[in-house]
């Protein structure tokens, strides 16, 4: 198990960065030690992936920026537009899924700028990608919020179950069960006695008839 401080040391990033990644990727603690949240190896693996993807996304954006500067056919205005879109792309995503998407777009823009492709196509791609990256993160955040809501609901039901179990009067329930059991036994005995009485009367009646025939 790891505390936030432990995760910070393993990932070699600040505690603030760890908390941000935990929130952005919807990672919940698996246990608590008093008030200290504890996380497992799965959480560590996701955070390692998230921090590495964040770095590689930024590197991809920087590489695209260099390709933009080196593209001699760009006008100053076109170069500015590309750079502005790249900066927007770098800031537009905060989840692992969003960062992966932004990194792929930045790499694609780099290839476009290194080729004879029109710079306008690169600008259009970046404009669409910025909006799509935000949508990806928004959908992710909504999903995380829904998962948390369901978790809270389940926790609430579990707490109510524990409360009911703690306050359940087992002694009273046992008495009720015993009384009901005795009632059933009593009914069965009464029924059995009734049947036995009928059989005795039938025998007596049959015996009387035999005596009459003998006389």
């Amino acid at each position: 198990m790891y505390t936030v401080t432990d995760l910070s040391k393993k990932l070699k990033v600040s505690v603030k960065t760890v908390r941000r990644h935990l929130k952005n990727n919807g990672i919940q603690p698996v246990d608590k030690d008093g008030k200290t949240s504890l996380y497992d190896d799965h959480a560590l693996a996701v955070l390692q992936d998230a921090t590495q993807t964040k770095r590689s996304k930024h590197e991809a954006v920087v590489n695209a920026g260099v390709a933009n500067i080196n593209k001699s056919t760009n006008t100053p205005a076109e170069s500015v537009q590309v750079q502005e879109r790249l900066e927007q792309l770098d800031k537009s995503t905060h989840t692992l899924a969003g960062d992966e998407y932004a990194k792929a777009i930045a790499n694609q823009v780099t290839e476009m700028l290194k080729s004879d492709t029109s710079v306008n196509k690169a600008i259009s791609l970046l404009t669409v990608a910025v909006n799509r990256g935000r949508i990806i993160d928004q959908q992710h955040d909504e999903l995380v919020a829904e998962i948390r809501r369901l978790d809270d609901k389940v926790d609430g039901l579990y707490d109510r179950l524990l409360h009911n179990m703690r306050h359940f009067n087992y002694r009273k329930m046992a008495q009720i069960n015993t009384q009901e059991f005795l009632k059933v036994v009593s009914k069965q005995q009464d029924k059995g006695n009734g049947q036995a009485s009928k059989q005795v009367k039938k025998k007596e009646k049959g015996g009387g008839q035999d005596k009459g025939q003998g006389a």
Side-chain angles (χ1 to χ4, degrees):
M1 295 291 182
Y2 309 96
T3 65
V4 172
T5 303
D6 294 334
L7 293 172
S8 171
K9 291 177 180 177
K10 282 191 167 293
L11 297 171
K12 297 180 181 179
V13 296
S14 67
V15 169
K16 183 179 179 180
T17 298
V18 171
R19 292 190 187 279
R20 186 174 69 250
H21 282 306
L22 288 171
K23 179 181 178 182
N24 290 343
N25 291 284
I27 302 173
Q28 297 292 318
V30 295
D31 202 354
K32 280 196 171 186
D33 182 9
K35 293 184 178 180
T36 303
S37 296
L38 299 175
Y39 299 87
D40 58 9
D41 288 329
H42 174 70
L44 175 61
V46 173
L47 290 175
Q48 287 173 329
D49 198 6
T51 53
Q52 180 56 43
T53 302
K54 181 74 70 178
R55 291 192 193 100
S56 58
K57 178 192 75 170
H58 183 68
E59 290 172 359
V61 169
V62 170
N63 291 336
V66 172
N68 179 46
I69 293 171
N70 292 335
K71 193 170 180 65
S72 58
T73 57
N74 285 357
T75 66
E78 289 171 339
S79 294
V80 169
Q81 285 188 65
V82 171
Q83 189 58 40
E84 288 177 349
R85 299 295 190 283
L86 285 171
E87 291 174 2
Q88 290 173 0
L89 180 68
D90 197 19
K91 297 176 182 178
S92 66
T93 59
H94 60 264
T95 67
L96 177 58
D99 287 344
E100 285 282 6
Y101 173 73
K103 180 180 72 173
I105 293 298
N107 287 332
Q108 187 176 346
V109 169
T110 298
E111 296 303 316
M112 292 173 72
L113 293 173
K114 288 181 177 180
S115 68
D116 295 331
T117 305
S118 169
V119 69
N120 289 327
K121 289 186 178 181
I123 294 172
S124 297
L125 175 62
L126 286 168
T127 301
V128 172
V130 168
N131 293 327
R132 187 166 295 172
R134 289 170 180 162
I135 291 172
I136 290 172
D137 279 358
Q138 181 182 351
Q139 291 175 337
H140 175 275
D141 292 343
E142 289 173 354
L143 179 60
V144 168
E146 179 64 14
I147 291 172
R148 286 177 177 170
R149 187 187 69 79
L150 292 173
D151 282 344
D152 291 340
K153 187 175 181 180
V154 170
D155 289 342
L157 292 172
Y158 180 69
D159 290 341
R160 283 170 58 187
L161 175 62
L162 288 180
H163 174 80
N164 292 337
M165 288 175 66
R166 291 192 188 103
H167 293 82
F168 187 76
N169 194 330
Y170 290 97
R171 186 181 297 277
K172 184 177 180 180
M173 191 63 189
Q175 291 174 349
I176 292 173
N177 287 338
T178 301
Q179 291 170 1
E180 292 299 319
F181 176 73
L182 291 175
K183 286 180 182 178
V184 171
V185 171
S186 178
K187 286 181 180 179
Q188 289 178 342
Q189 287 178 343
D190 290 343
K191 186 177 180 181
N193 292 336
Q195 290 176 345
S197 178
K198 287 180 180 179
Q199 289 176 354
V200 169
K201 289 179 179 179
K202 188 175 181 181
K203 285 181 179 180
E204 289 178 349
K205 187 176 180 181
Q209 290 175 350
D210 291 341
K211 287 180 181 179
Q213 290 174 357

